[in-house]
Amino acid sequence: MKKIFVIITVAILTLVSFTQCDPHHEQSATDILTGTQGWVLSKAFSNPAYFMSETGTFASDLINDGFLKDFEVAYILIFNTTGGEIVKPGDVVAPSPSEGYTTETTLGKWAFDNSDNPSKITMHIPFLYEKSLKECQILNLSKEELRIKFTVEDDEDGAKKTCSFTVTYVPLNKRH
């Protein structure tokens, strides 16, 4: 009887270990989005180029053309499983609360349009400093990146136009 009990126990433990380590088990979009210590900005582009009235120049590459400040690029964006969205300062901190986030701040709620197979996410974009949510098209959501696309109204140069921003976040632990 003991031998049968031991064999059954070993069989159950083996089955459980294989199902928990199944490399083909797909994670849900929510699991991927919330399953990291946070997301950091990797790339950000505008099409057409966004006019920056402070300098009189245009920014296509929002990181390298001066649209974003170093502390904005360093922000850590955290999505939690209950739908909360938080931004934390990264390794470069804003000089003051009036210029950017200097402490962990709750931005509000995020949501997918379809939890099973999302094509859009509604979320706050930390570097825009808007209270409103942005509806973003999901271009890619994987363990390696969150790439989204959304529109921004550019009326800085007097001629109102719509710019399409394509923004890529990577997990904090995968930052280059």
Side-chain angles (χ1 to χ4, degrees):
M1 187 70 172
K2 251 185 181 179
K3 191 174 186 179
I4 292 174
F5 178 74
V6 170
I7 291 172
I8 291 173
T9 302
V10 169
I12 290 172
L13 289 174
T14 302
L15 180 63
V16 167
S17 70
F18 278 123
T19 57
Q20 288 180 344
C21 299
D22 182 5
H24 303 293
H25 173 73
E26 288 203 28
Q27 288 186 304
S28 72
T30 300
D31 291 341
I32 292 169
L33 190 67
T34 62
T36 179
Q37 295 175 327
W39 298 86
V40 291
L41 199 56
S42 170
K43 300 174 190 167
F45 297 97
S46 176
N47 185 18
Y50 189 90
F51 180 74
M52 298 185 303
S53 60
E54 308 85 42
T55 60
T57 60
F58 289 87
S60 292
D61 181 334
L62 301 176
I63 294 174
N64 295 313
D65 292 347
F67 179 85
L68 293 168
K69 295 174 177 65
D70 290 342
F71 61 84
E72 293 170 322
V73 176
Y75 287 153
I76 301 166
L77 188 56
I78 300 168
F79 299 93
N80 64 41
T81 56
T82 59
E85 184 181 353
I86 298 167
V87 64
K88 292 168 57 170
D91 51 4
V92 179
V93 180
S96 71
S98 64
E99 292 186 57
Y101 300 106
T102 57
T103 60
E104 182 174 305
T105 305
T106 300
L107 297 177
K109 296 282 190 181
W110 66 270
F112 288 129
D113 63 333
N114 176 334
S115 60
D116 294 331
N117 188 20
S119 63
K120 294 181 182 173
I121 182 172
T122 303
M123 61 183 276
H124 294 269
I125 308 297
F127 63 79
L128 294 180
Y129 301 103
E130 296 175 354
K131 299 287 182 203
S132 62
L133 293 163
K134 284 281 185 196
E135 183 177 80
C136 308
Q137 178 185 358
I138 298 172
L139 302 175
N140 186 38
L141 175 57
S142 69
K143 290 181 185 179
E144 304 300 317
E145 79 172 8
L146 167 62
R147 190 166 15 104
I148 56 176
K149 186 176 188 177
F150 55 92
T151 58
V152 173
E153 295 301 320
D154 177 9
D155 55 6
E156 294 284 325
D157 65 355
K160 188 172 184 172
K161 64 182 175 194
T162 301
C163 292
S164 178
F165 281 17
T166 302
V167 176
T168 303
Y169 289 94
V170 295
L172 178 61
N173 62 349
K174 305 256 183 190
R175 181 191 305 185
H176 296 86

